[in-house]
Structure formats: structure tokens, C-alpha cells
Amino acid sequence: MKPNSPTSAAIVALAMIIAGASGCARRPPPAPAPKPQTIDQLKAAIAGVLERTHTPGCGFALVSKDSVIFAGGVGKADLATNREVTGDTMFRIGSITKSFVALSLLQLNEQGKVDLHAKVADLAPEVKIVNRWDATDPIRIVNLLEHTAGFDDMSPAETFDMSGGPQVPLLETFARFPEPQIARWRPGTRQSYSNPDYAVAGYIIEKLTGKPCEDYIADNILRPLAMTHSDMRLTPEMRTALAQGYRGNPPIAVPYYPILLRPAGEMKSSPNEMARFVRMMLNRGTLDGVKIVSPESITRMETPETGLAARAGFKDGYALGNYVTIRHPIKTHGHNGGIDGFLSVYAYMPEQGLGYFLSINASSPALSQVEDLIFAYITRGVAIPPKPAAVPLDADVVAAAGFYQFASPRNEKFKFLEEILAEGWTYTDHGKLYRRGLIPAPPEELVYLGHNQFRTAKESGADGVYCTDHDGNRYGCGELACFRRISPVWPATQLILLVGAVLTMATSLGFALVWIPRKLLGRMQGVRYLAVRVVPLLASLTFLVTIILWIHGGDSTFALATPSPFAIAICLLTLLFAILSVLGFALAIRSFGYPMNRAARLHSIAVAFAALGWTVFLGYWGMIGLRFWAI
């Protein structure tokens, strides 16, 4: 699993619609972080971040190729017992597990036991995969590892095993949740993050080795690296050393549940032991004389090869359980991970011979802030390499200008939100390249690097590349994202209609602040047919309450994956909104036969029509009566 779950992304996207914001760029680079000069200063700075963000604790390790510079922690591993974070505190490290799965398959490839380009259908025909392009573009192991299989991401219900019973076999999970194993587009083209990709990859490890994926990883990667306590399983010893995860402010303890798709994110480790893993990566597959894989396999792990972007020359993206981060002055390789109550990241700089790992026991914004401090500390005194140089625009990039819409959603069910918001124009002006969102905003200048690649001014590597697919469609692709060039007419029209409908519904709230007090004060005696006003008002209020509840309560997968009060409330509120919208529209139409104020009638019709428009839109996308725990 990875930070920013698909459901959370949808929540944020819907909030952006209401706020009238838009954009399609990567997360902007951080402001220059202060550079602590000593470990004590670094720990003090981290403690300040934890306090400001209400994050209980942080474990971290700083390494070079040859040694561990520091491994320890700041803050509390468990608030209830007042346990401190140390270098041996275990954290759930989520999607960092994917790096171990990819390494395992690279190791098996070196041993001649599997070809990374082998067809998944040949190796595991019992995994029911639907791919209408199978004759020409079958799904291969490498597509799973690079997230180019076209699979949907997991749903909330597919996340955690809350049964408390024996471990659920992967094949049983695939059978229970078949939709993610359907290729949504031609495999090997668009790149979209999907946890089921790595669950299937982990199952292939089991088929090849005859042992559970967690056992293979422990026997062939963890223990040879002297990662003695790290594991995907929760042993009694692990439970004792594991930090307690938290969310919210004040922090609320998150219960431990294993995930169903274990190869996607069930690893637990500590700063001391992850320091050994990062050093192995820096030493190109070997640590203290123990070889895990060859240097060539590490290079392959860092180099994307499938997908439109990779074939167009884009190398600063997601490869085999390993991706490039360009927001700092020096590019890093690594992976991050997120699971309820924990966020983690490991990163390393091969040329500089430096790396780090950090994990926090909270779903909070502290991770990136702490990472900025750690990066600033570990690179102090290190020469910063020059950024890729700008080149004059050429005919290819000029021809690529146009309107682009997001085309590789993690979850198909929520793609409408991303399609609406993650879109915008790229254009050229006076020999420079720019992009901006659909809603008017200051444009962002891009640095053109040649070969259809570009970056922002502060980024240390390529942000994306323009490319074409088999059918000649133009795309702009970056790390785990593809944008397709289309006509802007319908996206712009749709956004205007949706935002206009929200603003129209909002006027009913403002109008109510006038007529409701007047009614209560007896100044509207004799005014009849108030239902024409009240029902659309209630629909607008229901819409507003649903949005607020979704934004503030949708950050917990537990709350979505079970019929919790939150999830049931969302289901019932969306149903109530639809009922009130239809009823309000019917009353508004009937009001033409009522002797009532013309302005009030027209306003009620407008509000009812706006609410009905949103009902039709949300109903089309399956959002009315949405049962998160059943999808």
C-alpha cells in the first residue's frame, strides 16, 4: 500500500471541485529546509515537526555505503505505555514491501527459474485475468512490477483481513475480488499504481518456489542481510517491538489488522534493520560479502522499461518496486509506504553513496517534513549536481501542445473525479513551455529538456514526457500518471455545469438565512407552499453534510472497509440527497400551478434542477447509495 489511498484522493478531488481548484502537476518541491549540523540538532528539529503535526513518534536511519551513520528515534512508539522510539522499534512499512517482492523475482530470474517477460497466464492460469489484448499484448511479470498491467487498485473491502481467522490464501482473495484483475487498457502502455499487481507477483513467487511469499523473502533476503527481526508475519516478538499506529488529532490508536494482499504491503521492520537494506542497495546488491542480487539486477530494478513513458525515453519514474524522486536537489531512488497509522520511506543516492529510512506511527503530514530535514542533514557539504539543462523548443514539443485529461486512474470507480480535476493545458509562448489547470490560474513554466521531456524549475530530473500510443493518441506521461490529449470542450463544459450547480445550491443556503428568520418572526404570514423552498434547501444541506463528512472521515480505510457509522452515514446521505433532489424537482415543476412569488419559484426550480443534475451525475458513477464495505 502507498500513501494517498485512492479513496482519499477522491475525497480530496471532490473537495477541490467545491473549492474551485484544479491542477495536474506533481507535488511541488519543498521550500528549502534548514540544515541541522549535528544529530542532536536534527533530532530536535524532528521533534518540533512531530509536535506541530501531533505525530507520536519517528524512527529513522542515516547510512553511507560503508556504515550506519545513525539509527534511532524521536518521540513515542506507544502513548499508552509511554514507550520511546528506538532504533529497534518495528514499524509497518506498507508498500516498501514491493521492493522485497521485486528483488525476489530478480533473484529468481538470475537463478534461471523465471523470465521477467514470462506471461502471467502461463505461470498462473488459475488467477483469472481478463485481458482483451491478450493475443498481442499479454500481461507479463514485468508489467506487474512496473504497474503497467492496467489493473484497477484494490477497493476498501479488499484491504484488511478483519476475520481474525487463519491467513487467507492469495488465490482466494483474487477470486473474491475479481475486478482488479481486469486490464482496463492495453498492457504495457499506461502506468497506474495497483496493489493487486504485486499481490499477483507475490503469488507467482509462491508458485515458483512452493513456499509462502513471506517465507521466501525472509529466507532469501531478510535473514541473509541479517535483518533478523523484520518480517511480513506478526509474531509474538514482533508484536512486542511494533509501534502503535495512530491517526487524527488528538491521536487515536489504530487497531492492527493484516492486509489481504500481503505482498503489496505487509512488511514490518526497524531503523536498524532497514539501514542494512538501504546499504545493500547502495552496494548494488551485496552487503558484507553477502550477495542478494547482481549489480545488473539493481540497475534493472531502478530502470523502467515498459509503458509509454519508458519507451519514449523517460527514466525518472517507477521501475521494479523502485522509483525516482526528483523534488529534492539530488535525485533519489527508493519507495514509500502507507498503511493506516503508519507512513514510511527509504531513499538512496547511488552516486553520492548516501541513503536513509524513516517511518512515523501516524497518518500525518509529518513524513515529508521530516524527510526534508533528513535529506538536508545527510547531504550537507555534498556537491549538488547540475539540473538537466534546458534546450530550445523543437517541432515535436510544439506539436504536443494542447489540452490533456488524466487517463490512468488508480480506481476506475473514482476516475470521474480525477478526470475532472487532473487536467489542463500545455502550451508554448515566446519560445517557452507552460502548463496550467483547467480553472484559470497562474501558469507554470516548464523547462524543456529535449526528446519531448520536461521538468519544473526546481526539479532535479525529468517530470514527464510526451509520447504516443499504438493508435496514434498523444499522451503526456510521468511517474505513475498518463494524461491523454483531447478536446477541451466537454471537460470544460462539465466542470462549469458541476461548479455552477454547486454554487446554485449554495444560494439556497444564503436565501434561507433571509426567509427562515422572517418566517419565524411572523413576517411571512399567509405565504404558502413552503415545501417548494424547503425540500431543495434540505437537498443542498444534505449535499454539504455529505461532503464535510467524507472529507473529515474518509482518511481511515477501517472506516470505509466495514459498515461503520461513517460508511453507513455516507451511504444513507447519498440516498437521501437523491430522494430530496427528485422530490424537490417534482415540487418545483408542480409549483407552476401554485399562486406563489415568481422569484421564489424560479429560485427553487434552479436549486432543484442543480441538485438533480448532481444526482444524475453521481448516480451514473455509482456514488448514490455507495457502500464502501461492499466494493
Side-chain angles (χ1 to χ4, degrees):
M1 298 168 65
K2 193 177 182 181
N4 303 321
S5 71
T7 305
S8 297
I11 293 167
V12 172
L14 191 54
M16 290 170 68
I17 289 180
I18 305 305
S22 180
C24 60
R26 280 184 177 179
R27 181 160 62 102
K35 292 191 176 184
Q37 298 302 307
T38 66
I39 289 292
D40 286 342
Q41 290 178 5
L42 175 61
K43 292 173 69 175
I46 291 173
V49 171
L50 300 184
E51 182 178 2
R52 290 193 301 273
T53 58
H54 307 281
T55 302
C58 170
F60 66 101
L62 314 176
V63 305
S64 69
K65 285 180 63 174
D66 302 321
S67 65
V68 177
I69 301 169
F70 175 83
V74 177
K76 303 297 182 181
D78 191 326
L79 294 175
T81 62
N82 206 36
R83 176 160 54 103
E84 301 284 338
V85 176
T86 71
D88 293 320
T89 300
M90 290 285 170
F91 292 83
R92 300 187 78 175
I93 60 175
S95 279
I96 291 175
T97 311
K98 294 178 174 67
S99 293
F100 293 90
V101 171
L103 272 173
S104 298
L105 284 163
L106 285 163
Q107 192 178 71
L108 292 167
N109 177 69
E110 287 186 6
Q111 296 168 3
K113 295 179 180 179
V114 71
D115 184 342
L116 294 185
H117 288 85
K119 299 178 182 179
V120 173
D122 292 342
L123 292 169
E126 63 274 24
V127 179
K128 302 304 180 184
I129 291 175
V130 179
N131 174 21
R132 61 190 179 95
W133 298 274
D134 188 66
T136 56
D137 299 273
I139 294 174
R140 306 177 188 275
I141 293 176
V142 68
N143 298 131
L144 300 175
L145 299 180
E146 293 193 14
H147 293 303
T148 57
F151 288 172
D152 202 356
D153 203 358
M154 62 188 179
S155 67
E158 193 181 6
T159 305
F160 292 104
D161 179 6
M162 301 183 182
S163 67
Q167 182 171 281
V168 180
L170 288 170
L171 194 60
E172 184 177 323
T173 300
F174 300 151
R176 182 183 170 195
F177 299 96
E179 287 189 6
Q181 288 79 246
I182 300 174
R184 296 173 290 163
W185 46 74
R186 189 187 299 272
T189 56
R190 306 180 214 174
Q191 198 174 42
S192 179
Y193 195 88
S194 171
N195 286 285
D197 281 346
Y198 272 77
V200 175
Y203 179 75
I204 289 173
I205 293 173
E206 297 185 352
K207 284 289 299 287
L208 292 171
T209 64
K211 62 173 62 176
C213 178
E214 39 267 81
D215 287 350
Y216 181 86
I217 290 174
D219 294 343
N220 294 274
I221 297 177
L222 299 176
R223 305 304 174 249
L225 286 175
M227 298 176 70
T228 309
H229 302 97
S230 300
D231 213 307
M232 290 172 66
R233 290 192 169 95
L234 184 66
T235 62
E237 295 78 14
M238 175 73 74
R239 184 177 289 278
T240 299
L242 187 65
Q244 171 63 55
Y246 296 90
R247 64 178 177 85
N249 176 28
I252 301 171
V254 173
Y256 180 98
Y257 291 109
I259 66 171
L260 289 166
L261 303 180
R262 298 181 302 279
E266 193 51 65
M267 185 66 71
K268 277 81 67 175
S269 192
S270 67
N272 273 325
E273 298 200 351
M274 280 302 295
R276 297 190 62 79
F277 179 80
V278 178
R279 286 186 59 217
M280 180 274 295
M281 297 298 292
L282 283 170
N283 285 279
R284 315 309 288 168
T286 300
L287 182 65
D288 297 339
V290 176
K291 178 183 175 183
I292 302 300
V293 293
S294 67
E296 291 76 17
S297 287
I298 295 296
T299 299
R300 175 63 186 93
M301 188 178 180
E302 298 168 344
T303 310
E305 291 185 1
T306 67
L308 297 174
R311 291 198 296 274
F314 182 73
K315 300 303 179 185
D316 291 339
Y318 196 105
L320 307 184
N322 188 296
Y323 61 85
V324 173
T325 297
I326 59 174
R327 71 186 189 93
H328 288 118
I330 301 174
K331 288 196 297 186
T332 61
H333 292 270
H335 208 292
N336 64 1
I339 195 165
D340 272 27
F342 295 89
L343 294 174
S344 308
V345 64
Y346 82 89
Y348 61 97
M349 296 157 270
E351 293 184 7
Q352 288 74 25
L354 297 169
Y356 54 86
F357 163 80
L358 72 115
S359 187
I360 59 174
N361 58 337
S363 301
S364 86
L367 186 79
S368 61
Q369 298 177 39
V370 172
E371 184 180 6
D372 292 343
L373 288 168
I374 287 175
F375 180 89
Y377 175 80
I378 201 170
T379 58
R380 70 197 191 289
V382 174
I384 303 299
K387 296 181 177 64
V391 302
L393 303 187
D394 54 38
D396 287 341
V397 72
V398 172
F403 182 84
Y404 286 81
Q405 184 179 64
F406 191 56
S408 58
R410 283 179 64 168
N411 278 78
E412 200 69 14
K413 194 168 190 66
F414 297 103
K415 75 173 184 178
F416 69 96
L417 291 170
E418 295 170 300
E419 285 181 351
I420 290 171
L421 291 161
E423 57 191 8
W425 279 275
T426 60
Y427 62 96
T428 59
D429 184 30
H430 292 86
K432 294 183 178 181
L433 182 65
Y434 298 90
R435 67 181 172 195
R436 65 176 176 85
L438 179 58
I439 293 177
E444 180 180 31
E445 183 177 349
L446 299 175
V447 178
Y448 185 55
L449 308 177
H451 305 290
N452 283 313
Q453 298 190 47
F454 53 86
R455 64 173 174 85
T456 65
K458 294 184 178 180
E459 288 174 329
S460 55
D463 181 81
V465 61
Y466 294 109
C467 46
T468 56
D469 67 6
H470 296 72
D471 302 316
N473 298 305
R474 177 78 73 169
Y475 286 85
C477 296
E479 178 199 325
L480 296 170
C482 285
F483 297 81
R484 183 179 176 181
R485 189 171 68 179
I486 63 170
S487 166
V489 175
W490 171 240
T493 301
Q494 180 177 245
L495 185 60
I496 290 171
L497 290 174
L498 292 175
V499 172
V502 169
L503 295 176
T504 300
M505 287 189 289
T507 64
S508 70
L509 305 179
F511 190 33
L513 296 176
V514 176
W515 70 262
I516 290 179
R518 293 186 65 212
K519 178 65 176 176
L520 294 175
L521 294 173
R523 297 180 182 178
M524 293 178 60
Q525 294 181 2
V527 176
R528 301 166 59 194
Y529 312 113
L530 287 179
V532 177
R533 306 185 190 196
V534 171
V535 174
L537 170 63
L538 292 177
S540 300
L541 284 170
T542 303
F543 184 84
L544 177 62
V545 171
T546 304
I547 296 300
I548 293 173
L549 181 62
W550 200 355
I551 291 172
H552 289 284
D555 61 344
S556 171
T557 306
F558 296 114
L560 299 174
T562 60
S564 65
F566 164 76
I568 292 173
I570 290 292
C571 176
L572 295 179
L573 283 169
T574 54
L575 285 170
L576 180 60
F577 172 67
I579 292 169
L580 290 171
S581 297
V582 173
L583 179 59
F585 186 72
L587 288 172
I589 295 300
R590 290 186 61 186
S591 72
F592 281 103
Y594 302 155
M596 61 179 296
N597 182 277
R598 181 180 180 184
R601 176 192 293 119
L602 292 177
H603 180 259
S604 296
I605 290 173
V607 173
F609 188 75
L612 184 65
W614 264 99
T615 296
V616 171
F617 179 77
L618 295 175
Y620 176 82
W621 288 104
M623 297 292 109
I624 300 299
L626 180 63
R627 295 179 301 154
F628 283 108
W629 64 91
I631 61 173

